[in-house]
Amino acid sequence: MSYETHLCGDFLTALASRSAAPGGGTAAALAGAMAAALTSMVCRLTVGNPKFAAEEAAVSEVLQEADELRTTLTWLMQQDTDAFLDLMACYKLPKTTEAEQTLRRERIQETAKNAARAPLAAMRACLRVAELAEKAAQLGNPQAVSDAAVSVLLARAGLQSAFYNVKINIGIISDQEFNNTTLAEANSLLDKAFRIEKNVLAEAERRM
């Protein structure tokens, strides 16, 4: 496979362009999807190996959920891009009359909330990937423990990247209750991700 001539190359070209979408939120979800894929790989290098028969049932469960999260995060890549484009479209709505101005303000507020919800959903998914990477690091084939380490690094990076996309969209929103609730959850997710990352990296060092 040539990454330059497949979808990866096309996506990176779009990401590098002057267009604001895809942008950081989409890239954050991609990092999470790659993290999930790596955790799946660790599991597949474990399941079916007689050396790890005792762990097979638990690792198989991790594998199933990691595959599901990869699909979810790939979908969230599109959701983030679409939410951003919807928000930008609202800024182009007519604002000549008072009624138009009111409608425009309402639509901006509504779509800004969606633009914050998409990266928050990516943060939740990335945290779960990090949790699965921790299990993979503990139970998986030690020959692939470095991949579990990379998985948790990508999951934390994706989560932290999505965090900043949550924050920038909150800056547009006037609903302080929504902002406070959203930011409180985002901060909690970020704190948990850093703790898990530290645990996984320590486990990887131990098993190498």
Side-chain angles (χ1 to χ4, degrees):
M1 175 188 294
S2 168
Y3 295 117
E4 291 183 351
T5 57
H6 285 72
L7 291 179
C8 185
D10 292 340
F11 175 75
L12 292 176
T13 297
L15 195 63
S17 73
R18 288 175 57 86
S19 174
T26 307
L30 175 60
M34 290 192 296
L38 278 171
T39 288
S40 292
M41 186 187 79
V42 175
C43 293
R44 287 192 168 91
L45 291 171
T46 306
V47 172
N49 189 324
K51 294 180 181 179
F52 312 110
E55 292 81 18
E56 178 146 347
V59 173
S60 294
E61 290 180 6
V62 172
L63 173 59
Q64 180 178 349
E65 190 173 356
D67 281 346
E68 291 170 357
L69 283 163
R70 173 163 49 90
T71 299
T72 297
L73 281 155
T74 303
W75 176 75
L76 284 169
M77 290 173 63
Q78 188 65 55
Q79 293 300 110
D80 188 272
T81 296
D82 290 347
F84 175 81
L85 292 175
D86 287 346
L87 179 59
M88 291 301 99
C90 289
Y91 279 102
K92 297 178 182 178
L93 289 172
K95 51 182 178 178
T96 303
T97 67
E98 186 175 338
E100 288 175 343
Q101 291 170 12
T102 299
L103 177 61
R104 180 176 177 272
R105 282 195 299 269
E106 290 174 351
R107 289 289 295 129
I108 288 172
Q109 290 298 305
E110 178 185 342
T111 54
K113 286 183 177 180
N114 288 334
R117 289 185 183 110
L120 184 64
M123 289 184 72
R124 296 186 190 117
C126 284
L127 181 66
R128 186 55 187 156
V129 172
E131 292 170 342
L132 295 179
E134 184 172 22
K135 291 182 179 180
Q138 294 167 344
L139 302 174
N141 188 332
Q143 296 299 315
V145 73
S146 62
D147 297 294
V150 175
S151 175
V152 80
L153 287 165
L154 284 170
R156 192 272 306 153
L159 190 152
Q160 189 172 8
S161 300
F163 173 80
Y164 286 108
N165 283 272
V166 171
K167 286 195 74 174
I168 197 166
N169 285 299
I170 281 176
I172 303 168
I173 299 166
S174 59
D175 184 344
Q176 289 305 308
E177 183 178 356
F178 175 90
N179 292 346
N180 293 339
T181 300
T182 301
L183 193 57
E185 181 182 357
N187 278 311
S188 176
L189 292 167
L190 189 59
D191 289 343
K192 290 175 183 177
F194 276 115
R195 290 197 296 271
I196 294 170
E197 179 187 54
K198 182 178 179 180
N199 293 339
V200 175
L201 296 181
E203 182 66 10
E205 288 288 347
R206 187 187 70 80
R207 300 190 75 195
M208 283 183 186

